[in-house]
Amino acid sequence: MGKRALVLGGGGTLGVAWETGLLAGLEGEGVSLGNADFILGTSAGSIVGSTIARGVSAHMMAEMQIAAARLAAGNAAMSGPAPDLSKVMAFFMRMPETGEPPIELRREIGEVSRASQTISEAAMLAQFATLGVSGEWPKKFACTAVDATSGEFKVWREDDGVDFARAIASSCSVPGIYPAIAINGRMWMDGGMRSGTNVDVAAGHERVLAVAVIPAAIAEERMKARVGAEGDAVIKAGGRYELVSPDAPTHEAFGPNLMDGTRRVQLIEHGMRQGRLEAARIKAFWS
């Protein structure tokens, strides 16, 4: 059994911002989560998790994101309207409260992923390169994806021998917003189409810390029930489980659309604040 696992869930552009701020706030209080034995990322969490796994400090990540957000705010060409997430949100509301969504449901959202008009795969990969998503596969890191045709769930690991940037892009390929990503002759979409967190993948570790973006606007209690059921899998395997999710002020800051880049700086700041507040609890669990 491994010792410590860090699980970072999905949450769009604002999820990346809040998770980064949270880790930076914890880091400022002397709680570094980059020393986990296993780091799992889903969607937004794959960007944050892979960066931490490469040894980049959370404070540096936060500073880079704030600079990028301010640059976008001053450039009209970079700050268009937030993407329409209505199809994905409708899918989430049809997911069962616990357990994996039926394979038929995953195939249905996979059709949306494969058929929607989006930016090109090359454009998405180039976009992700600006976030530092490139190079060698980080040690101890894995990310999730779902086959956009069959609905099969996949955990990408270094041993799979796939291109790191493509694996991250597939984990972040929100249906209807980004293109499905080609890997090994198959098309892959966001790992959040199986679960926004996939905490149960870390079962078998002694301590599992899950960071889950659960904004009140999208059925908070329903999502907490799903994450809790996945945490039960960790406990049944003999481990301990702890959850960090947005607090009340952060809920309000998220707003109605997780892809609204104009709120990034706000969410980083809320994450930092919450990280400082959570530091004692997390340190006691993680140490």
Side-chain angles (χ1 to χ4, degrees):
M1 180 182 285
K3 289 190 176 181
R4 294 178 293 192
L6 173 63
V7 176
L8 295 161
T13 301
L14 299 185
V16 173
W18 175 73
E19 289 181 2
T20 299
L22 180 79
L23 296 184
L26 289 168
E27 189 177 86
E29 296 297 316
V31 184
S32 176
L33 302 180
N35 59 2
D37 300 292
F38 176 58
I39 298 175
L40 177 72
T42 290
S43 200
S46 70
I47 295 173
V48 179
S50 62
T51 307
I52 291 294
R54 290 200 303 272
V56 179
S57 79
H59 271 97
M60 181 177 291
M61 289 173 60
E63 288 172 3
M64 291 172 62
Q65 285 195 43
I66 289 170
R70 287 175 175 162
L71 177 63
N75 185 337
M78 296 174 64
S79 55
D84 180 5
L85 291 176
S86 58
K87 289 182 180 179
V88 174
M89 292 299 102
F91 167 76
F92 284 147
M93 294 306 296
R94 293 170 61 198
M95 290 173 72
E97 199 161 280
T98 59
E100 294 191 25
I103 198 76
E104 294 79 14
L105 190 57
R106 300 206 302 252
R107 288 172 179 164
E108 184 180 324
I109 196 66
E111 174 63 24
V112 172
S113 173
R114 291 182 288 112
S116 297
Q117 293 296 314
T118 66
I119 63 173
S120 69
E121 181 185 87
M124 181 179 181
L125 291 170
Q127 195 177 93
F128 276 49
T130 65
L131 299 173
V133 178
S134 61
E136 298 297 316
W137 194 282
K139 301 294 182 184
K140 70 186 180 183
F141 172 75
C143 63
T144 66
V146 171
D147 186 305
T149 302
S150 71
E152 174 192 345
F153 177 63
K154 177 67 178 177
V155 180
W156 297 118
R157 304 175 190 267
E158 183 181 19
D159 291 346
D160 289 312
V162 304
D163 179 75
F164 167 63
R166 282 185 174 273
I168 296 292
S170 72
S171 188
C172 295
S173 178
V174 181
I177 306 300
Y178 289 117
I181 302 296
I183 300 176
N184 294 341
R186 298 164 71 177
M187 305 304 292
W188 299 89
M189 64 180 173
D190 196 313
M193 300 306 105
R194 186 257 189 181
S195 162
T197 47
N198 295 298
V199 176
D200 52 316
V201 173
H205 288 80
E206 291 178 8
R207 281 165 285 174
V208 177
L209 177 64
V211 177
V213 176
I214 308 177
I218 48 176
E220 180 182 7
E221 293 307 313
R222 185 184 183 88
M223 289 188 69
K224 280 188 174 179
R226 285 191 58 79
V227 177
E230 293 172 9
D232 287 343
V234 172
I235 295 168
K236 287 177 183 176
R240 296 163 56 205
Y241 156 77
E242 198 75 26
L243 172 68
V244 183
S245 62
D247 59 13
T250 306
H251 280 156
E252 185 175 348
F254 265 110
N257 192 319
L258 294 173
M259 301 294 285
D260 182 0
T262 65
R263 295 172 178 258
R264 275 192 291 176
V265 174
Q266 274 183 273
L267 267 297
I268 291 170
E269 292 172 346
H270 275 285
M272 287 180 169
R273 173 191 54 76
Q274 192 172 349
R276 291 190 291 269
L277 292 174
E278 296 275 18
R281 174 172 76 96
I282 300 308
K283 185 174 184 178
F285 175 75
W286 197 249
S287 301

